[in-house]
Amino acid sequence: MCVDLRSMEYYEVEEVVLNLGEKKYRAKQIYNFLAKGVSSIDEMYTLSKDFREKLKERYYICKTDIYHKLESNLDGTRKYLIELGDGNLIETVLMIYKNGPSICLSTQVGCRMGCKFCASTVDGLVRNLTPGEIIGQMITVQKDLGERIANIVIMGSGEPFDNFDNLVKFLKLVHEDYGLQIGYRHITISTCGLVPKIREMEKLGIPINLAISLHQVEQNKREEIMPIAKVYDIEELIEAGKHYANVTKRRVTYEYALIEGVTDSLEEAHKLGSLLKGSLSLINLIPINPIKEKSFKKPNLKRVQAFQKVLLNYHIITTVRRELGSDINGACGQLRRDVINRDKR
Ligand code: SAH
């Protein structure tokens, strides 16, 4: 069976090289080629033909090719549909901020968390992405952009903590000296609330930023829109978030989707404020992005501002997510669904 080189940590590539009777420094060359985005072993031209042939017998580079790309004329946001080796498609988004480009990566094809407002979960989970496929999105997009991407948010399709081992391996890959060299503090992982995995992440001591998709503070109402709430309740989720912040000394972000008549009452704002008051946290309000499959609506700007004002009065840093690429918009997972449906026809 062939093994994916992109899913390997540096020391593993070094072992491969040594086992094939080559000098250690060849590992560095291979790793550099991988980071630059070569799509085949044949493109690693500084390796001898003979060595390349030997490598090809047992190793390959997983496919993450651009299948479709949309670019915003307003702010340069790019949405990519990336094709994997088995033909599955995933979404990757590039956002241009003042402090440089930032990429939003997917961790699964589909998702099995079942959040009612999310397009990624409509058809359930297809499969987990491998560590190579997660980093491959970054490598492909960086090559297309022609510029270094230093910030990563894991907020694309999928629940990252539902693919925990591959996620952790990806974190190690992306941090490697001879690879992309991304500092852990430049990585944010967003979870819908898999409490034991939040604790596990904390114990691993990899200092990434944590974001928790809260979206509702009333337990029974949260259960209605986010089935995971039936497994881990709000109390234990917030407790885990606060613990993470205390141990890592890093501000935890709470994402709160504003859905008209579902999550946007001022009572809910007050409850959210009292829950997080005094903790090392930040609230990011996300006016919901309506998806075709469901009838959720975005509240108007006045409502959003009123909700934010309540939270600011609790002295909690509260931002409203800026809408990027509104001309190529569509909620998470919507582009993939649209293209799959179009190509089926
Ligand atoms: N599974 C992870 C990460 C992927 S979703 C998580 O739940 O955090 C990234 C963020 O987008 C989450 O906060 C998610 O709840 C939110 N989201 C999903 N669908 C959305 C929509 N239609 N409008 C606005 N935000 C949405």
Side-chain angles (χ1 to χ4, degrees), residues 104-105 107-108 111 113 115-120 154-161 189-193 211-215 226 255-259 286-291 296 321 330-334:
C104 175
L105 302 177
T107 49
Q108 296 178 316
C111 181
M113 294 297 122
C115 300
K116 292 293 187 298
F117 44 81
C118 179
S120 300
I154 316 265
M155 292 189 186
S157 291
E159 166 50 45
F161 285 168
I189 300 178
S190 177
T191 177
C192 64
I212 295 176
S213 299
L214 194 59
H215 302 333
M226 300 181 72
E255 295 158 278
Y256 193 95
L258 290 169
I259 312 175
I286 313 172
I288 195 89
N289 228 325
I291 65 171
F296 293 117
R321 182 172 293 176
C332 322
Q334 191 76 65

Side-chain angles (χ1 to χ4, degrees), residues 44-170:
M44 300 184 171
Y45 61 88
T46 54
L47 311 180
S48 71
K49 179 108 200 315
D50 186 44
F51 179 34
R52 274 181 272 156
E53 289 307 318
K54 273 197 277 179
L55 264 179
K56 273 156 60 185
E57 281 169 23
R58 287 188 231 163
Y59 305 96
Y60 74 106
I61 300 171
C62 70
K63 177 174 168 178
T64 48
D65 289 352
I66 299 173
Y67 180 85
H68 191 77
K69 174 173 136 184
L70 293 175
E71 186 163 357
S72 164
N73 291 320
L74 304 173
D75 51 40
T77 300
R78 298 184 190 184
K79 276 203 158 192
Y80 293 87
L81 263 190
I82 304 262
E83 185 174 15
L84 307 176
D86 60 0
N88 271 306
L89 298 174
I90 48 169
E91 274 184 36
T92 307
V93 182
L94 179 83
M95 296 149 297
I96 311 292
Y97 292 116
K98 273 197 216 97
N99 60 348
S102 174
I103 193 165
C104 175
L105 302 177
S106 291
T107 49
Q108 296 178 316
V109 181
C111 181
R112 61 182 183 132
M113 294 297 122
C115 300
K116 292 293 187 298
F117 44 81
C118 179
S120 300
T121 201
V122 175
D123 289 329
L125 176 68
V126 179
R127 70 169 174 88
N128 282 331
L129 297 187
T130 65
E133 287 169 336
I134 304 175
I135 198 170
Q137 298 166 64
M138 168 115 180
I139 291 170
T140 299
V141 170
Q142 185 163 277
K143 192 177 174 189
D144 187 57
L145 180 70
E147 191 185 329
R148 181 167 190 262
I149 302 170
N151 293 294
I152 302 177
V153 293
I154 316 265
M155 292 189 186
S157 291
E159 166 50 45
F161 285 168
D162 189 36
N163 185 12
F164 195 79
D165 294 346
N166 289 350
L167 172 79
V168 170
K169 180 107 187 187
F170 156 77

